[in-house]
Amino acid sequence: LKSTIMSFNDIVLTKDAILPNLRHMTKCMKLLSNQKHLLDQDLNQSLQKFDLMMNLEKKQKELHLKEQKLKKYETKLVENENDIKSKVHELDIREDQLNLQE
């Protein structure tokens, strides 16, 4: 008999009591779902930007390495040019000496 008697503090769940709460929870779930969708979009954009930044950084490093290589080639070309000029000068001196000996 005690189990069938409800005290004043017991809550009776009725359709009228539950339905507004369910509507509110459904509305909150939709709002949360929309927020999640917006956050997912934002995350995807951030990841795309990050990928672009990483690719840019990679390309900058590649460019820097190519610039260094180009400077080495340029230095080598200048050295070769100076070497050729020196040899031409030596040949001119020899030619002048040969001409003087004749």
Side-chain angles (χ1 to χ4, degrees), residues 7 13-14 51 54 60 77 86 95:
S7 69
L13 297 177
T14 65
D51 285 343
M54 292 302 292
Q60 286 174 335
L77 280 173
S86 174
E95 185 181 20

Side-chain angles (χ1 to χ4, degrees), residues 13-84:
L13 297 177
T14 65
K15 181 180 173 185
D16 292 337
I18 294 173
L19 201 54
N21 289 328
L22 285 176
R23 286 186 187 127
H24 180 71
M25 289 187 332
T26 302
K27 184 179 178 181
C28 288
M29 291 301 291
K30 284 180 183 178
L31 289 173
L32 287 172
S33 178
N34 289 341
Q35 277 300 109
K36 181 188 178 304
H37 179 70
L38 291 174
L39 288 171
D40 286 345
Q41 282 182 333
D42 188 44
L43 177 63
N44 285 334
Q45 286 177 351
S46 295
L47 287 173
Q48 287 174 352
K49 287 179 184 177
F50 179 75
D51 285 343
L52 288 173
M53 293 298 291
M54 292 302 292
N55 285 334
L56 178 62
E57 186 177 324
K58 180 182 173 187
K59 294 294 181 185
Q60 286 174 335
K61 287 179 182 178
E62 289 174 3
L63 180 61
H64 181 70
L65 289 174
K66 287 179 181 182
E67 285 175 346
Q68 286 179 331
K69 213 173 198 179
L70 185 60
K71 284 180 182 179
K72 287 179 182 178
Y73 286 139
E74 185 180 16
T75 302
K76 187 72 175 168
L77 280 173
V78 168
E79 289 172 357
N80 288 342
E81 182 183 18
N82 289 337
D83 191 41
I84 289 172

